[in-house]
């Protein structure tokens, strides 16, 4: 205790001031809390700083932001659940434009390929073979 | 990575969302001062959780810290996106309207001092705002805040002290 009071006598406001908010929030150890409490009893400047901090803290607390919604809407909940339960379908849902373009390209390529093959087959079927007629 | 059956997945989903949606909505609403955008951010945060979380899906401090971190980053992205959109439209007044929507909704029944404090809070940088919201509204300890923000506990205290001092000074001067 003697050591603590000796310590208190050499403590300056500049040592105390940076810890005033921690003090308000009960984030300090018991020794530091005692030192600050004792200092505040004697120091008007630090007491004033503490009062200012307290007042701005209270102003902030008084402003309870208009009650934000407590729950997500049903649609959003369903959307999250769908993404979690069906990741592949969700991927398709997110990238539906790219997937649609790819499907169209593949379909077009297949159709073109089939048309080309069909015309080749046609050509092959009507190929002219030289015929030699023996008219003797 | 644990494999979940369909029923387990549904249960994990319900537990996680029910447990954390209110806290996240509250936190993000205070970050961006707009309920609709806050819901967007929280939805995106959960989507990211269910896509990327590799460990067990059960409420834990680790999941909560992760959710706060992701929600914070997404809120910042949302603020930037809205800023860009409004700058693009060259209409600053619209952003002010969106940004302070909650303030004006709540104006009745709140002291002038509280309104001024909220407007000062709104003018802080996102990282400063995050510290104040976590401490003042969410009542987190320095240790919990340090886990969310990746700052040391000493640094959390130091920064909070300076922010609150700055706010007190502005409140005393009657600035907003």
């Amino acid at each position: 205790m003697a050591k603590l009071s000796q310590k208190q006598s050499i403590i300056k406001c500049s040592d105390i001031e940076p810890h005033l908010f921690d003090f308000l929030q009960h984030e300090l150890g018991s020794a530091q809390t005692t030192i600050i409490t004792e200092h505040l009893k004697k120091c008007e400047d630090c007491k004033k700083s503490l009062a200012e901090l307290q007042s701005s803290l209270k102003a902030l607390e008084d402003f309870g932001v208009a009650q934000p919604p407590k729950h997500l809407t049903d649609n959003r909940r369903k959307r999250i659940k769908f993404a979690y339960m069906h990741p592949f379908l969700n991927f398709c849902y997110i990238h539906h434009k790219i997937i649609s373009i790819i499907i169209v390209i593949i379909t077009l390529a297949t159709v073109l390929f089939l048309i080309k093959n069909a015309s080749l087959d046609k050509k092959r079927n009507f190929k002219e073979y030289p015929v030699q007629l023996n008219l003797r | 990575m644990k494999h979940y059956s369909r029923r387990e997945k549904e249960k994990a989903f319900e537990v996680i969302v029910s447990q954390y949606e209110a806290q996240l909505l509250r936190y993000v609403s205070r970050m961006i001062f707009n309920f609709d955008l806050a819901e967007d951010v929280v939805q995106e945060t959960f989507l990211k959780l269910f896509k990327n979380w590799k460990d067990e899906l059960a409420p834990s401090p680790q999941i909560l810290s992760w959710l706060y971190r992701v929600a914070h980053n997404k809120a910042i992205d949302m603020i930037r996106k809205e800023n860009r959109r409004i700058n693009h439209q060259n209409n600053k007044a619209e952003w002010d309207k969106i940004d302070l929507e909650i303030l004006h909704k709540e104006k009745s029944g709140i002291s002038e001092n509280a309104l001024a404090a909220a407007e000062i809070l709104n003018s802080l940088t996102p990282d400063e705002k995050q510290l104040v919201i976590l401490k003042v509204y969410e009542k987190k300890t320095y240790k919990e805040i340090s886990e969310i923000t990746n700052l040391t506990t000493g640094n959390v205290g130091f920064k909070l002290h300076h922010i609150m001092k700055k706010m007190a000074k502005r409140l005393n001067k009657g600035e907003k």
Side-chain angles (χ1 to χ4, degrees), chain A residues 66-78 80, chain B residues 13-29 34-43 46:
Chain A
Q67 288 310 305
K70 286 197 171 69
H71 305 286
L72 287 165
T73 57
D74 280 350
N75 279 347
R76 289 181 194 277
R77 228 185 148 89
K78 274 181 199 159
I80 302 167
Chain B
F13 168 85
E14 288 301 333
V15 170
I16 295 281
V17 174
S18 310
Q19 175 113 2
Y20 297 126
E21 63 183 338
Q23 306 186 48
L24 288 180
L25 283 167
R26 212 169 49 219
Y27 173 72
V28 180
S29 296
N34 182 302
F35 293 155
D36 289 337
L37 294 181
E39 285 201 43
D40 284 347
V41 169
V42 173
Q43 177 182 320
F46 278 124

Side-chain angles (χ1 to χ4, degrees), chain B residues 78-139:
Chain B
M78 181 65 84
I79 293 170
R80 284 196 191 126
K81 205 169 107 187
E82 283 299 303
N83 262 333
R84 264 201 306 274
R85 188 177 67 82
I86 281 141
N87 282 341
H88 181 67
Q89 291 173 355
N90 207 9
N91 188 359
K92 178 76 177 71
E94 192 188 339
W95 174 238
D96 289 339
K97 196 182 82 199
I98 292 169
D99 214 14
L100 299 175
E101 183 190 318
I102 294 173
L103 288 186
H104 295 301
K105 261 188 197 166
E106 269 294 283
K107 226 166 184 168
S108 54
I110 285 186
S111 71
E112 277 297 310
N113 219 20
L115 263 180
E119 291 199 18
I120 294 171
L121 172 68
N122 195 36
S123 69
L124 297 176
T125 66
D127 288 345
E128 289 175 334
K129 220 193 268 186
Q130 177 186 37
L131 292 177
V132 175
I133 294 170
L134 289 174
K135 184 73 226 175
V136 178
Y137 295 111
E138 300 299 314
K139 307 284 180 205

